[in-house]
Amino acid sequence: MANKTPRTVSLQTLSRTKVQDPRVARLHSSTWVSAKLSSFSNFRTASIPSASAEEQITDRRIALAREMTFVEFPHVSEWLDTCLPGDDLPVNIRRSVVPFEVALDRQEVGMYPGLCKGFNDLLTVCGMDKTFVMKITGAHKDTVARGAKEDGDENKDRPDLVMYPDTDEARESFAISDDPARTIWAHSEFMIEAKYDLKLRPFSFDKGSASLPDGQEQEKSRGQILECFAYIISVLRHKARLIRVDRTAALVSEPFDYVENPLPLATFVYRYVNASPAERGFDPTATLATQDEANIFRALPARYSNDPTLHSVLRKATTPGWPIFKLSITGRWSSDDQP
C-alpha cells in the first residue's frame, strides 16, 4: 500500500506551490499521468492474492485516496465558477426551487428516496425532466458492461445515485422491475455518494475543521469517490460537497447545508444540464455508436473467421451486452499526407 499522505490545500496555498492553479487549468482535458494507480490499474485488486475480495477493494481505495491531491475551495460559488462555469439561475427557476426532504433520522439507505426526489424536482424546475433522470443505483451493479472476468476487469462499483439521460436506450439498460435502477457506466452522467455514519465520512463537513479526517474508513470512503470521474456530489446527512475529480486532483467545494439552502445544488444542476458533453467531462472523441454502426462492428468476427487471432479478439470485443463506442481520430494517414 502506498505510504504517500494526501494533502488538502487552499487556493491561496495552491498559488505558492508547484501545483497548477485550478482556476487556469484545462479542467475538461484528460491527461494520462504515469506512475499513478489511477492511470494504470484496472478493477483487479490482486496486489494481495491471499486477501479477501473486500480486503483487496479496501487496499485499492486507500491507495487511490493517498495518491490524490485534494484542493478545497473556500466558497461554493468559487467552486461553481471554476469547475462548472455558466449562467446563474434565472429568477423564475430560483423562485421555483423546492427544498429537499431527506429522512435524516434513518441509516444511509433511508436518505436515498429524498435525495432522488430532490434532484428530479430540480430537473423539473430546470425544464430538463424529459432529458435527464436521477435514479437510485446503490443495490445493483453494472451487469451490461460486465467486463472480462478472466482479465479481472469486472466493475462491481455501485454509486448510491446516478443521473442518466432519459432516453429509450439508457432506460432499456438501467431499468429493472422495481423503482431503483441498475448502475450503467456507459450512460452515467454524475454520481452521488451518501453517508449517514459519521465514522464513514470521506471529508469533514464542518467549516473550520480539518477537511481530511484520519482513519482507514475515512480514507476508504475518499478512495470510493476517486474510483469515479468527472463530477460527484458527496453527501453526509444534511451537508454536501461538490467534487470534480480527474487524474490530477480532486477539486472540492466547501461544505454546505443543502436542506437549508438548496440553491448551490440547483445552480450545479442547471449549469450541468445546459453544458456540452465535453464541459460535463465526456471525451468528445468517444461516443456511443448508433445501432447501425454497432451492427457493422458486431458482424466483424464472422468476416474474419479465417484468422484465429483476429477472430478471437473481435469475438471478445463484441461480447453481447457490451456497449460499442465510436472513436473519432483526426490526423493524416501518413507523413506525406497520402492514404
Side-chain angles (χ1 to χ4, degrees):
M1 185 181 298
N3 293 320
K4 184 177 179 181
T5 301
R7 56 177 177 161
T8 178
V9 295
S10 66
L11 289 179
Q12 291 78 13
T13 303
L14 193 68
S15 65
R16 297 194 298 269
T17 69
K18 294 182 179 179
V19 181
Q20 188 178 21
D21 189 324
R23 289 171 291 188
V24 297
R26 295 178 59 193
L27 291 179
H28 300 291
S29 65
S30 179
T31 305
W32 184 272
V33 180
S34 62
K36 290 185 71 177
L37 182 65
S38 58
S39 296
F40 60 78
S41 69
N42 58 13
F43 295 100
R44 182 190 306 175
T45 49
S47 57
I48 310 177
S50 60
S52 67
E54 184 63 31
E55 289 172 330
Q56 293 179 43
I57 291 172
T58 295
D59 181 69
R60 180 178 186 274
R61 287 178 174 172
I62 290 176
L64 282 170
R66 291 183 176 181
E67 78 169 11
M68 183 60 67
T69 295
F70 292 85
V71 180
E72 183 180 25
F73 286 68
H75 303 290
V76 66
S77 59
E78 190 170 8
W79 185 97
L80 285 165
D81 290 341
T82 299
C83 298
L84 193 58
D87 295 334
D88 291 330
L89 284 175
V91 174
N92 63 315
I93 292 179
R94 188 182 183 92
R95 290 174 177 172
S96 302
V97 171
V98 179
F100 276 68
E101 296 182 4
V102 179
L104 301 175
D105 57 345
R106 305 176 186 176
Q107 293 302 310
E108 180 181 312
V109 294
M111 298 170 59
Y112 297 168
L115 286 168
C116 188
K117 182 180 184 302
F119 276 96
N120 282 322
D121 287 344
L122 289 179
L123 289 170
T124 297
V125 299
C126 290
M128 289 291 183
D129 53 312
K130 304 299 182 184
T131 306
F132 297 99
V133 61
M134 182 65 72
K135 301 297 289 186
I136 300 171
T137 55
H140 303 281
K141 67 181 181 181
D142 191 333
T143 57
V144 176
R146 293 181 298 277
K149 289 186 177 181
E150 65 271 21
D151 293 337
D153 202 28
E154 185 179 18
N155 187 349
K156 297 181 180 180
D157 291 334
R158 303 184 302 270
D160 298 325
L161 295 96
V162 173
M163 192 176 85
Y164 292 114
D166 195 3
T167 62
D168 291 340
E169 183 180 12
R171 281 192 172 275
E172 185 179 349
S173 298
F174 68 67
I176 49 180
S177 57
D178 51 354
D179 185 58
R182 182 180 294 111
T183 298
I184 300 294
W185 291 107
H187 294 286
S188 298
E189 290 285 338
F190 69 81
M191 290 139 279
I192 299 173
E193 279 296 328
K195 298 296 180 189
Y196 182 88
D197 191 336
L198 296 176
K199 298 190 297 293
L200 302 179
R201 68 194 191 281
F203 306 97
S204 167
F205 284 79
D206 297 319
K207 291 186 178 181
S209 60
S211 298
L212 300 181
D214 295 329
Q216 185 181 70
E217 290 300 326
Q218 289 85 352
E219 283 190 313
K220 179 181 175 182
S221 293
R222 286 196 292 275
Q224 183 180 9
I225 289 173
L226 298 175
E227 289 178 323
C228 303
F229 58 90
Y231 296 102
I232 305 128
I233 300 175
S234 179
V235 174
L236 178 70
R237 300 185 181 180
H238 62 291
K239 298 286 187 71
R241 285 181 184 263
L242 305 173
I243 307 170
R244 186 198 183 280
V245 175
D246 62 18
R247 297 183 182 94
T248 303
L251 309 183
V252 186
S253 78
E254 66 170 338
F256 59 93
D257 189 326
Y258 68 91
V259 174
E260 181 179 286
N261 178 21
L263 290 180
L265 286 184
T267 302
F268 172 85
V269 170
Y270 177 75
R271 291 185 181 182
Y272 187 94
V273 298
N274 286 288
S276 68
E279 290 168 336
R280 300 201 306 269
F282 290 95
D283 183 348
T285 68
T287 57
L288 282 169
T290 66
Q291 187 61 54
D292 289 341
E293 291 166 340
N295 290 339
I296 292 172
F297 186 76
R298 294 189 186 282
L300 291 178
R303 178 178 176 181
Y304 292 97
S305 58
N306 293 329
D307 186 327
T309 301
L310 189 55
H311 175 76
S312 175
V313 170
L314 289 170
R315 187 175 61 180
K316 182 177 179 180
T318 55
T319 296
W322 283 15
I324 303 297
F325 285 85
K326 177 175 61 177
L327 302 181
S328 300
I329 302 174
T330 302
R332 297 178 300 181
W333 285 99
S334 61
S335 58
D336 58 1
D337 206 18
Q338 297 297 315

